[in-house]
Amino acid sequence: MQTECAYLFSSLAKELENLRVLAEEAGKKKEELRKRSNHSFTKTDLVDPQKWTMGDVQQYGRVLAQLQDDVKNIKDQRILLKRTLRELESNMLKAGTRKEEIVRFNRAKTDEEFAKMLKVRTLGPEHLEAQSQLRRDIQVVRDRVQKLEDNLQGCKTKLSQFQIGKPGLRAPSLDTVNRTFRNINLAINQQTEDISKLAARMSKLDMSSLQVSITRDKRLGESTAKRPINVTPHVAVTTAAALNAERSA
């Protein structure tokens, strides 16, 4: 029994010693991982994992945050490149069409039959004008058709509302009606009070003191209304006589 206990004790001592050694190694490894590297990192260091340690996690996050502007610029450049590619494809298509036209015209210089066929395919000035007029008319017809479709859709909506008994105009709520009547009553009461105040002020005025007798100043002489209407100045009579004499002559 003592031998077994001694053997068990020695085994536990060895295990504890091994655990102590492992704990020391783990502690050293932990310290190594937590140790920060005294190095100023840049964006180019993100692709090299050998330069980073676990203690540089915060600095790694700061450097990584600096890439946000670069990512945004790359997205903007991507959109610009897509737009440029679309324009380039359109220009390439136009260039291909022009190239085919150039080939046809070069062939028309040497082949009379092909030149006649190419000439027939081109439109004259009157046909071009008719083509432009037709395009304008087609556009006008399309606009009218669109308006008719919109009106037809509105009529269908009204018809469906009428069939199901749904009113086209929504009645205002009771709260809105009550608020409107309350505002009207307040306005009427305010106007009534203003009119009552004006009537009270008018009743206090003494209108008899405003009557003033109007007399004419004696120095002005008699009124011109008392003169006879048929009185003509001497100059007017002389002028009229001269005109009559010239007419009779």
Side-chain angles (χ1 to χ4, degrees), residues 74-90:
I74 291 173
K75 288 183 178 179
D76 296 338
Q77 291 179 1
R78 182 181 178 184
I79 296 173
L80 182 61
L81 289 174
K82 284 184 177 180
R83 188 182 301 113
T84 306
L85 284 175
R86 287 195 295 268
E87 293 177 356
L88 182 60
E89 290 177 355
S90 177

Side-chain angles (χ1 to χ4, degrees), residues 5 12 19 55 57 81 84 97 205 221 244:
C5 289
L12 290 175
L19 290 175
V57 173
L81 289 174
T84 306
T97 306
L205 293 177
N244 292 329

Side-chain angles (χ1 to χ4, degrees), residues 15-205:
E15 292 292 335
L16 290 174
E17 183 65 22
N18 293 331
L19 290 175
R20 186 182 63 79
V21 173
L22 292 175
E24 291 178 356
E25 292 178 356
K28 292 179 181 180
K29 190 66 175 178
K30 179 182 177 182
E31 292 296 331
E32 291 178 359
L33 292 175
R34 293 181 62 181
K35 186 178 180 181
R36 297 181 181 179
S37 58
N38 297 324
H39 185 268
S40 59
F41 296 100
T42 59
K43 299 176 183 178
T44 57
D45 296 331
L46 293 174
V47 296
D48 190 2
Q50 300 297 330
K51 295 182 180 180
W52 299 90
T53 61
M54 294 299 295
D56 299 328
V57 173
Q58 295 181 355
Q59 193 170 0
Y60 185 86
R62 287 194 295 269
V63 176
L64 189 63
Q66 296 176 2
L67 296 176
Q68 292 180 356
D69 296 335
D70 296 338
V71 173
K72 185 178 180 181
N73 293 331
I74 291 173
K75 288 183 178 179
D76 296 338
Q77 291 179 1
R78 182 181 178 184
I79 296 173
L80 182 61
L81 289 174
K82 284 184 177 180
R83 188 182 301 113
T84 306
L85 284 175
R86 287 195 295 268
E87 293 177 356
L88 182 60
E89 290 177 355
S90 177
N91 293 330
M92 289 179 64
L93 181 60
K94 292 179 181 178
T97 306
R98 295 288 179 85
K99 183 178 179 181
E100 293 178 358
E101 291 179 356
I102 292 171
V103 171
R104 287 198 299 268
F105 281 112
N106 289 332
R107 182 181 175 184
K109 291 180 180 179
T110 57
D111 192 349
E112 295 182 357
E113 296 294 333
F114 186 77
K116 291 180 181 179
M117 183 180 65
L118 187 64
K119 187 176 181 180
V120 170
R121 290 178 60 184
T122 58
L123 297 176
E126 65 279 2
H127 298 294
L128 290 175
E129 181 65 25
Q131 184 182 19
S132 301
Q133 184 64 33
L134 285 174
R135 288 178 178 175
R136 289 193 293 269
D137 294 340
I138 290 171
Q139 185 63 35
V140 172
V141 171
R142 286 178 179 175
D143 295 339
R144 291 181 179 177
V145 169
Q146 184 65 33
K147 291 181 180 179
L148 288 174
E149 289 179 353
D150 295 339
N151 292 331
L152 183 60
Q153 185 66 30
C155 293
K156 287 182 179 180
T157 304
K158 292 180 180 179
L159 180 60
S160 61
Q161 291 177 355
F162 178 76
Q163 289 177 352
I164 63 178
K166 183 179 180 181
L169 297 175
R170 182 178 296 177
S173 61
L174 293 177
D175 188 16
T176 304
V177 174
N178 292 330
R179 187 166 56 252
T180 303
F181 277 111
R182 185 168 60 253
N183 294 333
I184 293 173
N185 290 330
L186 290 175
I188 292 173
N189 294 331
Q190 183 66 31
Q191 294 294 328
T192 304
E193 292 178 0
D194 294 340
I195 292 172
S196 300
K197 291 179 181 179
L198 289 174
R201 292 176 63 183
M202 290 292 294
S203 62
K204 294 179 181 180
L205 293 177

